[in-house]
Amino acid sequence: MKSTAKTFAQLSLIAGCGFAAGVINGLLGAGSGVLLVYALRSILPRHSAGSRDIFANAIATVLPLSFFSALSYFQKVSLPPLTELMPYLLPGLLGGLIGARLLGKLPEAVIQKIFGTVVLISGAAMLFR
Amino acid sequence: MLIDMIAALLASILSGLGVGSGGLLVIYLTLWGEMEQRLAQGINLLFFLASGCAALVHHIVRRHLYWRIIFWLTLFGIGGTFLGTALAAALPSALLRRLFGGMLVISGILTLMRRKSDR
């Protein structure tokens, strides 16, 4: 395996972005992937890590973070009963598989524009209302 | 309940595609369903555990995962999650909602700014 020479800058990037991603994940339950994708673009080797790889690595990082966030979160906030969670968890499982399978296969530019706008407007609504 | 399930399905498909910063379900729960922010975020965490695991199973065999980097990012991240969840529990719901909204605005702008070459 090629060994990667890590400079101090890279180490700081990993430490800083990792920590920040954890804070965002614990605080908001979402959004750390956005940060991690940007961080990973600088951290991962440019020639071998394509955009789908970067995204997959981001998910692989957010998962354990979400796990630990959930552990401390539900010590402070009450956990809803399983029956209330099922309508979200089961379709979530299915959708995660479908989405992963479709990654790279759909016209992303259009989708990103539509949902980028949805997210932006929703965010503004939550900010100001 | 059926609408909840459809919304969750769509949200997880889109999140698997890299769209929406993982916050689409929260948008649905709070803006459409008027759920309290803290509860919606908690549900979203669990929801992502489900959909992210499913996605990861798919990615593990097909994508190149850099485990050492993931490990170190996660290690520092776990420290951050303690701070994050403490804040989430302590902050007033209205502020939490605004912070979430701010995150979405940033995410939306970044998404719309993407050119074809980057991702």
Side-chain angles (χ1 to χ4, degrees):
Chain A
M1 272 198 116
K2 250 202 293 193
S3 72
T4 327
K6 288 195 164 62
T7 62
F8 180 71
Q10 272 223 324
L11 288 171
S12 315
L13 191 61
I14 290 177
C17 288
F19 186 79
V23 175
I24 294 173
N25 186 260
L27 177 62
L28 302 175
S32 42
V34 180
L35 174 62
L36 285 170
V37 165
Y38 274 88
L40 284 168
R41 255 198 236 135
S42 310
I43 296 169
L44 295 182
R46 207 166 292 257
H47 51 277
S48 53
S51 61
R52 277 182 290 171
D53 284 323
I54 290 177
F55 186 64
N57 280 273
I59 292 190
T61 307
V62 179
L63 263 176
L65 293 184
S66 298
F67 177 73
F68 283 95
S69 289
L71 280 183
S72 27
Y73 202 85
F74 289 110
Q75 284 178 352
K76 308 174 173 88
V77 175
S78 58
L79 178 65
L82 202 59
T83 47
E84 272 185 42
L85 295 171
M86 279 310 180
Y88 308 109
L89 297 185
L90 292 178
L93 261 172
L94 180 60
L97 259 171
I98 296 176
R101 193 139 207 307
L102 291 176
L103 185 63
K105 300 207 173 96
L106 294 182
E108 261 182 41
V110 178
I111 298 176
Q112 296 284 5
K113 278 213 166 51
I114 296 174
F115 287 96
T117 311
V118 168
V119 164
L120 184 54
I121 295 177
S122 308
M126 290 176 82
L127 251 184
F128 298 118
R129 288 230 248 110
Chain B
M1 188 182 88
L2 183 61
I3 300 185
D4 286 341
M5 294 178 74
I6 294 174
L9 183 64
L10 282 175
S12 55
I13 292 178
L14 289 165
S15 124
L17 288 172
V19 179
S21 73
L24 288 173
L25 186 67
V26 174
I27 293 175
Y28 167 76
L29 291 174
T30 58
L31 288 181
W32 183 271
E34 298 184 330
M35 188 182 283
E36 196 256 327
Q37 180 70 21
R38 226 179 313 258
L39 178 59
Q41 288 185 192
I43 291 180
N44 195 48
L45 274 174
L46 299 173
F47 167 75
F48 180 75
L49 284 173
S51 75
C53 273
L56 186 65
V57 163
H58 183 272
H59 288 313
I60 275 183
V61 285
R62 281 171 194 75
R63 303 265 78 89
H64 192 322
L65 296 178
Y66 297 77
W67 294 108
R68 276 188 19 198
I69 292 176
I70 292 170
F71 173 79
W72 287 104
L73 281 170
T74 303
L75 198 64
F76 285 104
I78 290 173
T81 65
F82 287 115
L83 176 58
T85 54
L87 285 172
L91 293 178
S93 216
L95 177 56
L96 206 55
R97 184 179 161 97
R98 282 189 218 283
L99 288 171
F100 197 92
M103 181 278 287
L104 288 178
V105 167
I106 293 174
S107 171
I109 292 177
L110 289 174
T111 302
L112 290 172
M113 268 172 48
R114 267 182 212 153
R115 275 161 270 126
K116 227 176 182 187
S117 53
D118 29 75
R119 233 303 240 117

